[in-house]
Amino acid sequence: MNDDVTDGAFPDGFLWGTATAAHQIEGGNWNNDWWAWEHDPDAPTAEPSGDACDSWNRWEEDVALVADLGVGTYRFSVEWSRIEPEEGEWSRAAVAHYRRLCEALRARGVEPTVTLHHFTTPRWVVARGGWEDPATAERFAAFCRRVAGELGDVVARFCTINEPNIVATVGWLLGFFPPGRTDAALRAKVNEVFVDAHRRAVEAVRAAAPGVPVGLTLSMTDYQAVEGGEQRLAEMRAEMEDVFLDATEGDDFLGVQTYSRMRIGPDGVLGPEEGVPVLDMGYEYWPASLEACLRRAWDHTGGRVPLLVTENGIGTTDDDQRIAYVREALSGVLRALADGVDVRGYTYWSLLDNFEWGYGYRPRFGLVAVDRETFARTPKRSYAWFREVVRANRLVAAP
Ligand code: NOJ
């Protein structure tokens, strides 16, 4: 391992970014499975998404915040249930909305990175069987074809499916995401449908928007075997990561997303280790996960696909802890780069404090605070610090 990252400089052209997702910021996304889930009294959710950050209306404020941050890209998602509210029924108004957003970003020198599926699925898709139904792969590809055709001229890159492994595992095995199932066989099936959906989505984007890069964004974890947990770890990783890593061959990039580690014993997941801080998300403060996951993605795929950190960040009310976390994570990126891992960029999750799914609004991932009553946006110290890093293209000291 090469530890010499003392000058802290990132390569020329390193792509800095920040990210959000439609359901977490737009507000009023009532036509998808998550909204239904949030309003199911039996579902394990903290609170409904409601107006979120009202970004459907306040998107110009978001664009200004992104542009002032100086980043090269803003990763956001388009909401399938707005663009195709019923099967084959396309909303010109919704597409026009996202076009305005892309054009405003371009006008400020920011590349739009567009995620086509970020956790939420239209109600009509779910009514026809959702992700358990192999036909959903083609339903999704049709949506991708449409969006790529409509927006391909203003989008810089497309992410097909955000963290399909999390959607499948938390929704069909752990029961904390819709549809709240706990069935290992179904989870395996949903994994397969997602793999197929990704491959079809890549083809659809390439056909409709030739030359626009497209890839998958995967949730990765720094899995660590403890006292004989190697076999169990390999099994977990096979279904959580490998099945999807193997599906990225030929893609233009692989989006790596990671937040923490997981210690695995012979019987499965062990809790946090004594002495390691535990965050609002229930997992350990573990910034080293980024370097570990980048190396793992690179090794597993044999360096076939360039890597892009499409998400990394921390949910905390302690902004100094956020800065320390990102600093440490970025030093890991530098070490990986020095060892030849092809990492093209780093995207901080998230621009805004927003709707953190089952946890509601409590975890604060944003570089910018959002007042829950007025939706007023207030940049944090971490925003100013990250802007410095981006401007210098190197790891600057914490303020
Ligand atoms: C992964 C998801 O893509 C995003 O929606 C979520 O808010 C962050 N990680 C933080 O948990």
Side-chain angles (χ1 to χ4, degrees), residues 222-281:
D222 180 2
Y223 289 110
Q224 301 180 357
V226 177
E227 288 156 14
E230 286 78 8
Q231 176 60 27
R232 189 82 189 87
L233 184 154
E235 288 161 13
M236 287 184 62
R237 193 138 74 178
E239 298 223 71
M240 280 302 288
E241 295 184 350
D242 299 354
V243 64
F244 293 103
L245 290 172
D246 294 342
T248 63
E249 181 146 14
D251 291 358
D252 299 304
F253 63 89
L254 165 63
V256 171
Q257 319 201 147
T258 183
Y259 292 86
S260 190
R261 72 167 175 174
M262 217 180 255
R263 300 181 316 131
I264 312 295
D267 300 322
V269 180
L270 305 172
E273 189 174 10
E274 223 180 289
V276 180
V278 176
L279 302 170
D280 283 343
M281 296 295 289

Side-chain angles (χ1 to χ4, degrees), residues 35-45:
W35 185 278
W37 180 248
E38 291 153 33
H39 293 85
D40 175 349
D42 297 326
T45 53

Side-chain angles (χ1 to χ4, degrees), residues 173-209:
L173 183 67
L174 305 178
F176 293 118
F177 277 13
R181 303 294 303 266
T182 49
D183 180 328
L186 266 185
R187 190 274 289 255
K189 185 174 175 202
V190 171
N191 268 0
E192 277 176 34
V193 176
F194 270 128
V195 164
D196 185 35
H198 168 65
R199 295 299 343 144
R200 287 171 190 259
V202 169
E203 267 177 48
V205 167
R206 287 185 171 158

Side-chain angles (χ1 to χ4, degrees), residues 19-21 24 75 115 117-119 162-163 166 177 217-219 257-259 281 283 310-315 349-350 354-357 359 363 365:
T20 59
Q24 296 178 269
R75 173 174 177 247
T115 308
H117 185 276
H118 196 122
F119 286 7
N162 180 74
E163 302 191 343
I166 292 294
F177 277 13
T217 58
L218 191 65
S219 169
Q257 319 201 147
T258 183
Y259 292 86
M281 296 295 289
Y283 49 64
T310 39
E311 279 187 31
N312 178 246
I314 177 173
W349 180 274
S350 174
N354 61 43
F355 179 69
E356 183 52 36
W357 308 108
Y359 292 91
F365 281 91

